């Protein structure tokens, strides 16, 4: 089997059509189609379903896709190792982080890996938890932090932290009286709120709390971009409900923010660290996982990351 054929096959499935894959691969479509036909002939089963809407894998193709991605990633790592000096940790590690988690640990993690493991290429993917979970299922990530213990079944998972949710608004906002450090659910519901859309797990968690108390939230905008959402809140358009990590930058809290605890509810969000199967964890991925755990413990232990408790098995 030609490894190029595996790369072509994976790209076709990810692109959803031969035409798009040919442009991505810079290969003429007839030549690409011929290579896939050879691959199907060698496998002895059809791998793709072609239709006017595009291309999807057959059951056999889906089975091959799972291992093909892993084989190609391992090959890329092997080539990276061959180019490095012996005795060092090296390779590419892909980690998925939600936007708020990225604010808390992203910069520190990249800096730590660059300083301690210069042979490791860190690929950080920011996304919503549902999308990151799907990428983990498809073997496109080595590590991911998610907010549900059952988000990706059959993969190793360990608890990291539990985050409390706070009402956040600018330091000098007139929406809440100065010196207040707590706010009730009823008062929060009456504020002009800027929240993520309902496809966001955090929004569903918030909505469930208020619906359980028969409180209707005054939502004035729905924004899934964390940076835009915070900019709108900072501009005085409303308040939001987020974990403290949303306003962390390089391990330090942004200036100019007020974070109010919710006095009559304990809205919390657990964070879990997922990794690939133990027999597939590369030394580089193991090193990144260890450093990530250490960074989280340091941030929580020092009090830098507030409103967070470490979780243990």
């Amino acid at each position: 089997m030609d490894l190029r054929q595996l790369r072509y096959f994976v790209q076709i499935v990810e692109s959803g059509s031969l035409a798009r894959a040919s442009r991505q691969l810079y290969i003429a479509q007839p030549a690409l189609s011929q290579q896939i036909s050879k691959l199907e002939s060698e496998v002895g089963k059809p791998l793709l379903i072609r239709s006017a809407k595009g291309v999807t894998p057959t059951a056999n193709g889906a089975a091959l896709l799972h291992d093909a991605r892993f084989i190609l990633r391992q090959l890329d790592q092997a080539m990276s190792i061959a180019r490095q000096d012996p005795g060092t940790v090296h390779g590419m590690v892909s980690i998925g982080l939600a936007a708020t988690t990225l604010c808390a640990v992203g910069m520190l993690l990249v800096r730590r890996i660059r300083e301690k493991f210069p042979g490791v290429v860190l690929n950080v993917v920011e996304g919503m938890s549902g999308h990151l979970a799907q990428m983990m299922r498809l073997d496109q990530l080595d590590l991911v932090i998610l907010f549900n213990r059952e988000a990706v079944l059959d993969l190793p998972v360990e608890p990291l932290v539990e985050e409390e949710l706070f009402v956040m608004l600018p330091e000098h906002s007139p929406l809440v009286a100065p010196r207040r450090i707590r706010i009730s659910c009823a008062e929060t519901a009456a504020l002009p709120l800027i929240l993520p859309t309902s496809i966001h797990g955090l929004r569903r968690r918030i909505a469930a709390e208020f619906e359980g108390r028969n409180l209707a939230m005054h939502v004035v905008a729905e924004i899934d971009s964390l940076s835009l959402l915070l900019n709108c809140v900072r501009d005085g358009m409303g308040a939001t409900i987020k974990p403290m990590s949303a306003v962390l930058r390089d391990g330090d809290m942004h200036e100019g923010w007020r974070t109010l605890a919710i006095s009559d509810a304990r809205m919390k969000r657990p964070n879990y660290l997922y990794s690939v199967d133990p027999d597939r964890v590369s030394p580089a991925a193991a090193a990144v996982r260890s450093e990530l755990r250490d960074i989280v413990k340091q941030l929580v232990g020092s009090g830098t990351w507030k409103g967070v408790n470490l979780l243990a098995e």
Side-chain angles (χ1 to χ4, degrees):
M1 182 180 294
D2 191 331
L3 285 172
R4 289 179 304 168
Q5 293 171 352
L6 283 183
R7 290 194 186 277
Y8 297 163
F9 170 70
V10 170
Q11 185 63 59
I12 289 170
V13 174
E14 292 180 348
S15 299
S17 79
L18 283 166
R20 282 194 291 270
S22 69
R23 290 194 294 270
Q24 290 287 332
L25 294 166
Y26 300 99
I27 298 171
Q29 189 171 332
L32 184 58
S33 182
Q34 184 180 44
Q35 290 297 322
I36 295 303
S37 295
K38 289 181 179 179
L39 179 61
E40 289 179 318
S41 177
E42 186 166 350
V43 172
K45 299 282 185 179
L47 301 174
L48 298 174
I49 300 171
R50 300 162 175 84
S51 70
K53 295 182 179 180
V55 175
T56 56
T58 63
N60 297 97
L64 176 62
L65 180 67
H66 181 274
D67 286 322
R69 284 185 171 127
F70 174 69
I71 290 168
L72 293 172
R73 185 190 297 173
Q74 291 297 98
L75 176 62
D76 291 340
Q77 289 183 352
M79 292 301 294
S80 177
I81 290 171
R83 296 186 181 109
Q84 298 289 334
D85 294 330
T88 61
V89 177
H90 33 251
M92 177 175 286
V93 180
S94 295
I95 179 169
L97 301 172
T100 50
T101 313
L102 191 70
C103 291
V105 304
M107 180 70 78
L108 297 175
L109 180 63
V110 174
R111 182 183 297 131
R112 179 81 65 88
I113 297 305
R114 290 297 305 134
E115 290 173 352
K116 295 185 67 173
F117 304 101
V120 172
V121 177
L122 194 61
N123 171 223
V124 181
V125 179
E126 177 186 345
M128 294 176 63
S129 57
H131 176 62
L132 295 176
Q134 180 67 6
M135 291 184 68
M136 194 69 184
R137 294 186 199 102
L138 295 175
D139 288 332
Q140 295 174 343
L141 298 171
D142 298 291
L143 304 165
V144 67
I145 294 179
L146 299 171
F147 311 117
N148 186 329
R149 184 149 199 156
E150 286 78 40
V152 185
L153 299 177
D154 302 323
L155 285 183
V157 56
E158 57 185 285
L160 276 182
V161 296
E162 185 177 58
E163 299 177 280
E164 185 175 352
L165 303 184
F166 295 84
V167 173
M168 295 185 174
L169 64 168
E171 187 174 9
H172 302 294
S173 172
L175 294 175
V176 179
R179 299 180 183 176
R180 290 280 303 272
I181 61 172
R182 293 182 176 275
I183 187 170
S184 69
C185 283
E187 290 173 306
T188 301
L191 293 174
L193 293 173
I194 303 175
L195 299 173
T197 62
S198 58
I199 63 171
H200 200 293
L202 183 65
R203 172 65 179 276
R204 294 195 297 272
R205 172 69 185 89
I206 294 168
E209 190 71 36
F210 284 88
E211 288 169 3
R213 297 167 182 268
N214 293 318
L215 292 171
M217 293 185 294
H218 178 38
V219 179
V220 297
E222 297 184 328
I223 302 172
D224 282 333
S225 164
L226 179 63
S227 60
L228 177 59
L229 185 152
L230 292 179
N231 284 339
C232 290
V233 173
R234 188 188 289 276
D235 196 52
M237 299 183 195
T240 191
I241 303 173
K242 289 284 183 181
M244 194 71 77
S245 54
V247 291
L248 290 180
R249 178 176 57 194
D250 198 12
D252 296 317
M253 185 171 174
H254 283 266
E255 295 182 358
W257 286 99
R258 294 177 66 190
T259 54
L260 307 178
I262 300 174
S263 59
D264 53 349
R266 298 292 287 175
M267 285 190 277
K268 295 188 176 183
R269 180 175 72 172
N271 287 231
Y272 297 98
L273 176 59
Y274 287 81
S275 57
V276 295
D277 293 327
D279 58 343
R280 294 187 174 189
V281 176
S282 67
V288 172
R289 182 176 59 191
S290 177
E291 294 301 325
L292 177 59
R293 289 196 206 103
D294 188 54
I295 287 170
V296 169
K297 288 179 181 177
Q298 287 182 16
L299 287 173
V300 177
S302 67
T304 303
W305 192 353
K306 295 180 175 64
V308 174
N309 295 313
L310 288 172
L311 294 176
E313 290 284 13

